[in-house]
Amino acid sequence: MSQSYFIIGTDTNVGKTYIAHALVKKFVELGFKTVGMKPVASGCQYNENQELINEDVAALMHVSNVNSSLDAINPYRFIPAIAPHIAAEQAAVNISLEVIAEAYQKLSSVAQVVIVEGAGGLLVPLNGTQTLADLVELLNIPIILVVGMRLGCINHALLTIELIKARGLNLAGWVANEIDPNMDMFEDNLTSLHNRISAPCLAVVRWQGQANFTLAS
C-alpha cells in the first residue's frame, strides 16, 4: 500500500489541521507507516531548539510514526500569521512548487501514507502565479475536502468541487466538520451536500466531536 491525500478546506479555519491530524492517527492505528506534511506554514515561532515551527506542523509530527526532517515535512516556514504568498514576499522568498515536490518525494519514499495539509482553500496563492491547485496537480494526489459546516458552506463546497473538476483533479472524499455549534438546520445542510456531491462522505464531525472515518480498504 502506498497512498497520499491532500487535505483542502472550503475556507480558512474549517478544521483542516484537525482532520489531517485525525487521518494520520487513523492510518497509524491501521498499522501503516504514516507521516503528515504541511508544505507551507505561516504563524511560526522558534522552539527550544531554535527551529522555526508552526503548532499545526508540531501536531502532525507528534502523531506521525515516520521520522523525517522538519525541512521535508514543512519546507516553507514564516513567522507572520498571514497569507503564505504575502509572508513569502515579506521574507524575500519565492515558494517553489518543485522544492515542495522534492520534499514530498522524500516523505513518500519512507512512508506508506502521506497526509498533506494545505493552507486555506484551493485557490490560495503560493507565489505570483501559482496556487494550491497547481501544487495538487503537480503532486498528482487525491483531495479530501473539509467542509466547514456553517452558513454558506454549500456554496463554498460546490464552488471548490467545480474547480476540482475543471482542473481534472481527483476528489477522493469529503468531511463535514461542524465549526459553528449554533448552525441552524445542520442536518438539512448536510443532506443537501450529500445530494450534490458524488464523492463519498468520509466522516461527519459534530462540534468538538471525534472524527470517525469510513475509509476504503
Side-chain angles (χ1 to χ4, degrees):
M1 176 182 175
S2 179
Q3 60 182 302
S4 300
Y5 296 101
F6 203 111
I7 313 304
I8 286 290
T10 47
D11 201 349
T12 191
N13 294 325
V14 296
K16 290 186 310 300
T17 297
Y18 177 76
I19 297 303
H21 182 275
L23 278 167
V24 172
K25 286 182 64 177
K26 179 68 174 180
F27 281 109
V28 168
E29 290 169 1
L30 291 172
F32 297 107
K33 294 173 64 178
T34 308
V35 65
M37 178 187 190
K38 191 171 178 69
V40 182
S42 53
C44 298
Q45 297 180 338
Y46 286 100
N47 63 14
E48 63 276 8
N49 298 319
Q50 292 304 302
E51 295 174 312
L52 197 59
I53 191 167
N54 172 282
E55 61 180 12
D56 297 345
V57 175
L60 289 173
M61 293 177 73
H62 179 72
V63 293
S64 299
N65 63 354
V66 172
N67 291 322
S68 191
S69 69
L70 181 57
D71 286 339
I73 291 169
N74 182 203
Y76 290 100
R77 305 184 291 276
F78 305 103
I79 293 175
I82 55 179
H85 71 293
I86 299 176
E89 288 172 1
Q90 291 184 353
V93 171
N94 180 63
I95 296 176
S96 166
L97 302 196
E98 288 70 26
V99 168
I100 296 173
E102 288 177 9
Y104 167 77
Q105 291 300 329
K106 289 179 182 178
L107 295 179
S108 61
S109 69
V110 295
Q112 294 169 289
V113 181
V114 184
I115 302 297
V116 185
E117 181 192 343
L122 195 55
L123 284 183
V124 165
L126 293 179
N127 53 44
T129 60
Q130 295 171 306
T131 67
L132 275 176
D134 296 299
L135 177 58
V136 177
E137 185 174 358
L138 177 63
L139 297 184
N140 191 29
I141 59 179
I143 291 170
I144 293 177
L145 177 65
V146 180
V147 180
M149 297 297 290
R150 61 187 174 200
L151 185 64
C153 66
I154 297 173
N155 179 66
H156 282 75
L158 297 183
L159 281 174
T160 303
I161 291 169
E162 283 297 315
L163 175 62
I164 290 170
K165 292 177 180 178
R167 293 292 297 262
L169 305 176
N170 177 13
L171 180 63
W174 58 285
V175 174
N177 186 33
E178 185 178 22
I179 58 175
D180 179 3
N182 300 312
M183 180 184 184
D184 291 328
M185 312 299 289
F186 177 90
E187 295 296 341
D188 296 82
N189 279 269
L190 183 61
T191 297
S192 295
L193 289 167
H194 275 290
N195 291 340
R196 291 166 173 81
I197 302 175
S198 58
C201 179
L202 304 178
V204 176
V205 184
R206 299 307 299 255
W207 173 249
Q208 296 184 335
Q210 297 296 312
N212 298 312
F213 296 102
T214 300
L215 300 174
S217 58

